[in-house]
Structures are given as structure tokens and as C-alpha cells.
Amino acid sequence: MGTTVCPECDGDVRPSDDEYVCTDCGLVVAADRVDRGPEWRSFDDGPADGKRTGAPLTRSRHDRGLSTTIGHGSDTRLTGRKRRRVARMRREHARARIATKRDRNQVYAFTEVRRVVGALSLPESIQEQACTLFESAQNEDLLKGRSLEGFAAAAVYATCRVRSLSRTVEEIAAVARADERELRVAYDALNRDLGLPTGPVDPREYLPRYANALDLPQHVEGRATDLAATAVESGLATGKNPSGVAAGCLYLAATDAGVDCTQADAADAADVSPVTVRHTYQALEERRDAPDDAVGTVAVADD
């Protein structure tokens, strides 16, 4: 309201609820009937949040979650011809939601992505990003002649690699409908054609999970982290299975601390062979036993 003076008696005009009233003569100068509060009502026996704005958009659905479905809640009150008509409407509506082969492939692949993510207990953000990555692969025509299941599993694995989550190809292939070969072929295509920002896997990413599986104390995991950092910096981990390097570091740390942990146990936790664990263990032992000048010479040569 622009004025604060009553046009009738020149008295003071002050707001009262949604009206502007003269304090002298009682004239209602203006009224603001717009309710700027929330559009929902709160009830004692209802939910605290009564917003009616619908679910948020999601990339894990081919239609971004915007489509609707005809439910079954009212079927009990329908009989005869009406029940058959509603069933036919529901069937045709479901078909109309997936109009093209592209949509059908997305529905199948996104369902597989959600299943793999759930089986591995990964966060929902991984699911969203993996579905986006699959859609990018579809836009680049990378799916021709290849397995949808393989690309769905590869999208999950690639997302874990990009987000630095410790999941191996074997772990994802164990819960996916694609075998390890299909997963690797699809991942190679994603990494090559989409230019994913993935680098070598750091063995330290696997240490918390493996230490928890082996029931090792915290100080052993901390010592294994230092050993893994040494292996990476010195080049001992280059070209080796990061899971095996992590298992070897845990075994060496447990041995130094006098904690019961065999090479076979460490290998089982990392899903590698005991020979792989032994090679990492021996390499770290040789480096630790090497003279200081030899270690320094290696460091200078690496620089």
C-alpha cells in the first residue's frame, strides 16, 4: 500500500490482518486477500508434510517418472463390462508408455541397473548416474550388436570407478545377468567412446571392506593403508591387481601386529589367489628390508 493517511479524515492507516484500516474513522482503505502461506492444511492425525507436489524427477526411469499408471484400488467396486473395460484401458495405457524400441531398451536396462545397485547396496546416486551413462551410450549407438545386460552392469561399474567406490568387475558380474566377458566388452566401449574420467584403481579403496570382512582391528587397517600408499608411490602396485595389493598389505600389517590372518583368508576376502597375496607380501618385505640408499636410488630414478 502506497499511502498511510486516510483519504476521508486524514487519520493514520494501519494493517489489520489482511486489511488496511483507519484508526480514527474505521474506514477500510485497502484489502489484501492473497494468502501467501502454505497451500496445504496440517491435521493432528495426518502427516506433518501435506505438500501435493508429486514425486521428483528421476533419471532412472525412461520417462523421468512423469507418467502415470491406472491402479487397481477401485476394481472391487467394478463388475462385468466395466471391469473388463478398465482392464483393457490399463493394458493399453501400459503399452502406450513404451512407444518405441528405444524406450523398451531403456526400461529393461534401467530395471537391471536398479537390481544390480540394490544387490550391491550402493547409494541411489550411483543408480541415477549409471542410468544417465547408459542413456549416453544409447545416444552414441554403442548398443548395436551388444548385450543390454552387459551395458547395464558396465554402467554401474563405470560409475563406481568414476566415484572411487571399491567394486570389482567380479563382484558386479556375480549379481548381474551378464557374464564377466560381456561386462568388460561393454565397459571398454564406454571408456573408449565416452572418455570416462577413470584412472588406475587405488588399492586403499578396498582396505576398509576387506579389513571388515577379515575382522581386523583398526590399527591393522591403518598400517595396511600406509603400506598401500608405499606400494603406490614406489610403483609396486603398477600393473597389479589392486585387490591383490590390498589383500597383501592387510596380510603384512596383520603379521607385523601379531594378529591371526592367513594368506588364504586375505585372498578369500579379496577374491584373488593366495599366490597374488604372496607376491605383494614378498615385494613389500623386500622393499622394507632393502638398504636406505637403495630405496633412495629407486625414488630418484622414478622421479
Side-chain angles (χ1 to χ4, degrees), residues 204-289:
R204 287 169 287 189
E205 297 177 8
Y206 297 99
L207 290 176
R209 280 199 305 128
Y210 295 167
N212 183 63
L214 294 170
D215 197 19
L216 296 176
Q218 185 67 34
H219 68 275
V220 173
E221 180 184 339
R223 174 57 181 160
T225 302
D226 295 337
L227 292 173
T230 301
V232 172
E233 294 171 359
S234 63
L236 294 177
T238 303
K240 295 183 179 180
N241 187 343
S243 297
V245 175
C249 293
L250 284 173
Y251 172 72
L252 179 56
T255 302
D256 292 342
V259 178
D260 185 19
C261 178
T262 65
Q263 294 183 12
D265 293 337
D268 290 339
D271 195 20
V272 296
S273 66
V275 177
T276 303
V277 177
R278 190 177 306 116
H279 286 169
T280 301
Y281 164 75
Q282 292 174 349
L284 290 172
E285 279 284 293
E286 293 175 359
R287 176 174 175 79
R288 184 167 59 179
D289 295 338

Side-chain angles (χ1 to χ4, degrees), residues 49-297:
D49 186 2
K51 295 181 180 179
R52 300 189 296 272
T53 55
L57 297 179
T58 174
R59 299 303 298 268
S60 61
R61 304 282 180 179
H62 77 286
D63 53 7
R64 302 294 187 272
L66 291 175
S67 63
T68 58
T69 58
I70 301 177
H72 296 76
S74 61
D75 283 1
T76 56
R77 297 192 296 269
L78 300 177
T79 58
R81 181 180 301 175
K82 289 185 178 180
R83 180 186 292 271
R84 292 191 296 271
R85 184 172 62 184
V86 171
R88 184 171 61 255
M89 291 170 57
R90 186 180 296 115
R91 183 174 60 253
E92 296 301 325
H93 178 70
R95 291 174 179 174
R97 291 179 58 204
I98 308 175
T100 63
K101 183 179 180 181
R102 173 188 174 87
D103 292 341
R104 185 165 59 251
N105 290 341
Q106 284 190 2
V107 170
Y108 184 81
F110 290 176
T111 302
E112 176 68 3
V113 168
R114 291 195 297 270
R115 193 186 64 80
V116 173
V117 168
L120 295 174
S121 299
L122 295 173
E124 187 176 353
S125 59
I126 297 293
Q127 171 183 304
E128 296 284 329
Q129 190 171 348
C131 292
T132 303
L133 183 59
F134 179 89
E135 188 174 359
S136 299
Q138 193 177 37
N139 293 335
E140 295 295 329
D141 293 331
L142 302 182
L143 306 182
K144 292 182 179 179
R146 296 190 174 109
S147 167
L148 289 176
E149 297 88 346
F151 265 92
V156 176
Y157 175 68
T159 304
C160 291
R161 287 286 303 272
V162 172
R163 299 281 294 275
S164 298
L165 289 179
S166 56
R167 291 297 185 273
T168 63
V169 173
E170 293 78 12
E171 287 178 303
I172 294 181
V175 299
R177 290 193 173 95
D179 55 29
E180 187 175 333
R181 184 191 63 82
E182 292 175 329
L183 195 158
R184 290 186 182 277
V185 169
Y187 174 72
D188 289 342
L190 290 175
N191 198 20
R192 179 180 62 252
D193 295 334
L194 298 183
L196 300 179
T198 57
V201 179
D202 195 324
R204 287 169 287 189
E205 297 177 8
Y206 297 99
L207 290 176
R209 280 199 305 128
Y210 295 167
N212 183 63
L214 294 170
D215 197 19
L216 296 176
Q218 185 67 34
H219 68 275
V220 173
E221 180 184 339
R223 174 57 181 160
T225 302
D226 295 337
L227 292 173
T230 301
V232 172
E233 294 171 359
S234 63
L236 294 177
T238 303
K240 295 183 179 180
N241 187 343
S243 297
V245 175
C249 293
L250 284 173
Y251 172 72
L252 179 56
T255 302
D256 292 342
V259 178
D260 185 19
C261 178
T262 65
Q263 294 183 12
D265 293 337
D268 290 339
D271 195 20
V272 296
S273 66
V275 177
T276 303
V277 177
R278 190 177 306 116
H279 286 169
T280 301
Y281 164 75
Q282 292 174 349
L284 290 172
E285 279 284 293
E286 293 175 359
R287 176 174 175 79
R288 184 167 59 179
D289 295 338
D292 293 339
D293 56 349
V295 175
T297 302

Side-chain angles (χ1 to χ4, degrees), residues 8-78:
E8 295 290 338
C9 65
D10 295 333
D12 294 334
V13 176
R14 296 184 180 181
S16 176
D17 293 333
D18 57 353
E19 298 177 341
Y20 291 88
V21 182
C22 177
T23 57
D24 293 340
C25 65
L27 175 68
V28 178
V29 179
D32 184 6
R33 299 296 183 181
V34 178
D35 184 5
R36 292 178 173 81
E39 54 87 24
W40 66 87
R41 291 184 297 169
S42 178
F43 301 94
D44 294 338
D45 56 347
D49 186 2
K51 295 181 180 179
R52 300 189 296 272
T53 55
L57 297 179
T58 174
R59 299 303 298 268
S60 61
R61 304 282 180 179
H62 77 286
D63 53 7
R64 302 294 187 272
L66 291 175
S67 63
T68 58
T69 58
I70 301 177
H72 296 76
S74 61
D75 283 1
T76 56
R77 297 192 296 269
L78 300 177

